[in-house]
Amino acid sequence: KKASWLARLRGGLAKTGQSIGSLFIGVRVDEALFEELETALIMADAGVEATEQLLKALRLRVKRDRIEDAEGVRQALREVLTEHLKVLEKPFDVGRVKPLVVMITGVNGAGKTTSIGKLAFALQHSGARVLLAAGDTFRAAARQQLIEWGDRNNVNVIAQEGADPAAVAFDSVHAGRARGMDVVMVDTAGRLPTQLHLMDELKKIRRVIAKADPTAPHEVLLVVDGNSGQNVLAQIRAFDAAVGLTGLIVTKLDGTAKGGTLAAVAAGSQGVRPVPVYWIGVGEKIEDLQPFVASEFAAAVVG
Ligand code: GDP
């Protein structure tokens, strides 16, 4: 089971014109190898900052450990990348408060609805009782998608057509408490950071959730499409500034050549705060959501 999603993650991340893993095959350790690695990391959208940091750490390690073969360099890069990405690794702690109120944000098409379904499935599987709030009160299709999903999986969904999304969020926190739920997940409509009135609406949802429970929301997640490359940084910055992110879900890593973006996030490139990556999406099926583990991700990138 584990092997299959890791293979998909690896397959996706190896899609760069110059697969990083293939660079180590049958070559000597010389300047040309480091230059090719540099190019490959840039192509994978790691960005200049993270690429320079990684190459510097790699060169130091190769020198320190007197590594002379390409396979040794591969191993060293895997370690260097793992250490670099560690800052993003954080377990999703459900039991610390009841109900845990989770607000979920993102741009349209990022995989928000799918990820909410997957996450609710995973949390229910681990024994938590989950309530969903359909915060997209304008798009009937989005609401319907969530309701159908809830029906299939025996998860209650609170939805009110045409209602104020903040009001739905407020009601769901109260309902979650009254019904003894462990987790209340509040979906929000997809929006672009440039749609300022919609970003204001998001702030309002957050404020109103806090009226229902002054300690909430306990988690504010941003769902980002792993294919968005460096644009992910702009999204994180904007949503973080508006509502204060506590974590990321990075989707579609089974089909992207841009896995390097996470190295850029870890490096805090372009003024981004290294927000933890709780989960990664590695497919369209319900079980295709996995916790982010730096060593696994690094192994998938480097081969
Ligand atoms: P939303 O607009 O953000 O709610 O996006 P959706 O949840 O509707 O997802 C948009 C598309 O991306 C759908 O076709 C999903 O099946 C697909 N998708 C979401 N997550 C993943 C993933 O991890 N891997 C793959 N391959 N597809 C995904």
Side-chain angles (χ1 to χ4, degrees):
K1 193 93 205 147
K2 184 158 188 167
S4 79
W5 74 259
L6 274 175
R8 258 179 292 133
L9 175 62
R10 184 164 298 143
L13 297 178
K15 270 188 177 172
T16 28
Q18 243 180 332
S19 150
I20 296 178
S22 68
L23 296 177
F24 300 98
I25 299 166
V27 297
R28 282 188 322 200
V29 179
D30 54 15
E31 192 48 35
L33 175 60
F34 288 107
E35 271 166 30
E36 290 205 48
L37 283 174
E38 192 166 356
T39 307
L41 284 167
I42 295 282
M43 302 253 301
D45 253 326
V48 175
E49 232 172 308
T51 299
E52 280 179 358
Q53 285 179 19
L54 287 166
L55 259 294
K56 190 176 171 205
L58 179 65
R59 285 174 193 275
L60 280 172
R61 183 161 307 214
V62 166
K63 204 168 170 187
R64 184 196 75 188
D65 297 347
R66 298 201 176 85
I67 296 167
E68 286 169 355
D69 62 307
E71 197 44 48
V73 179
R74 182 207 299 273
Q75 183 66 35
L77 179 58
R78 214 185 279 152
E79 287 166 15
V80 162
L81 188 56
T82 298
E83 285 162 23
H84 181 86
L85 294 171
K86 269 277 182 202
V87 64
L88 303 179
E89 197 181 283
K90 190 180 174 191
F92 191 74
D93 180 10
V94 172
R96 68 188 197 263
V97 52
K98 186 175 168 167
L100 183 84
V101 179
V102 185
M103 184 173 160
I104 305 203
T105 67
V107 305
N108 275 315
K112 201 158 48 65
T113 312
T114 309
S115 297
I116 289 172
K118 290 172 175 177
L119 183 52
F121 178 80
L123 294 175
Q124 288 224 121
H125 219 73
S126 67
R129 299 181 66 207
V130 180
L131 179 68
L132 293 183
D136 192 342
T137 55
F138 297 104
R139 275 172 59 231
R143 206 168 53 244
Q144 199 50 40
Q145 200 183 342
L146 205 63
I147 291 171
E148 276 167 23
W149 188 89
D151 286 346
R152 272 204 311 277
N153 293 281
N154 263 322
V155 172
N156 280 319
V157 179
I158 294 201
Q160 284 165 277
E161 191 185 334
D164 178 359
V168 173
F170 183 87
D171 288 351
S172 67
V173 175
H174 276 297
R177 196 185 295 143
R179 299 181 197 176
M181 293 288 154
D182 298 299
V183 182
V184 175
M185 247 192 270
V186 180
D187 186 19
T188 61
R191 69 201 72 216
L192 289 171
T194 47
Q195 296 173 303
L196 296 182
H197 61 295
L198 291 181
M199 294 308 278
D200 281 342
E201 182 193 76
L202 210 55
K203 292 183 201 171
K204 180 181 168 194
I205 295 172
R206 197 200 151 103
R207 276 200 311 274
V208 172
I209 286 176
K211 287 210 168 103
D213 175 352
T215 69
H218 307 101
E219 299 283 356
V220 181
L221 308 187
L222 176 69
V223 179
V224 290
D225 180 339
N227 290 292
S228 317
Q230 295 273 306
N231 191 250
V232 162
L233 302 175
Q235 287 177 28
I236 296 173
R237 267 203 324 269
F239 281 87
D240 196 24
V243 286
L245 298 175
T246 63
L248 304 176
I249 297 178
V250 184
T251 65
K252 310 185 197 181
L253 287 174
D254 52 311
T256 184
K258 298 184 173 175
T261 313
L262 289 192
V265 176
S269 298
Q270 296 175 29
V272 88
R273 200 166 54 84
V275 181
V277 179
Y278 284 125
W279 309 91
I280 58 173
V282 290
E284 293 186 89
K285 290 207 287 294
I286 194 92
E287 66 273 16
D288 293 333
L289 188 78
Q290 299 291 336
F292 172 75
V293 179
S295 59
E296 286 175 354
F297 194 85
V301 171
V302 180

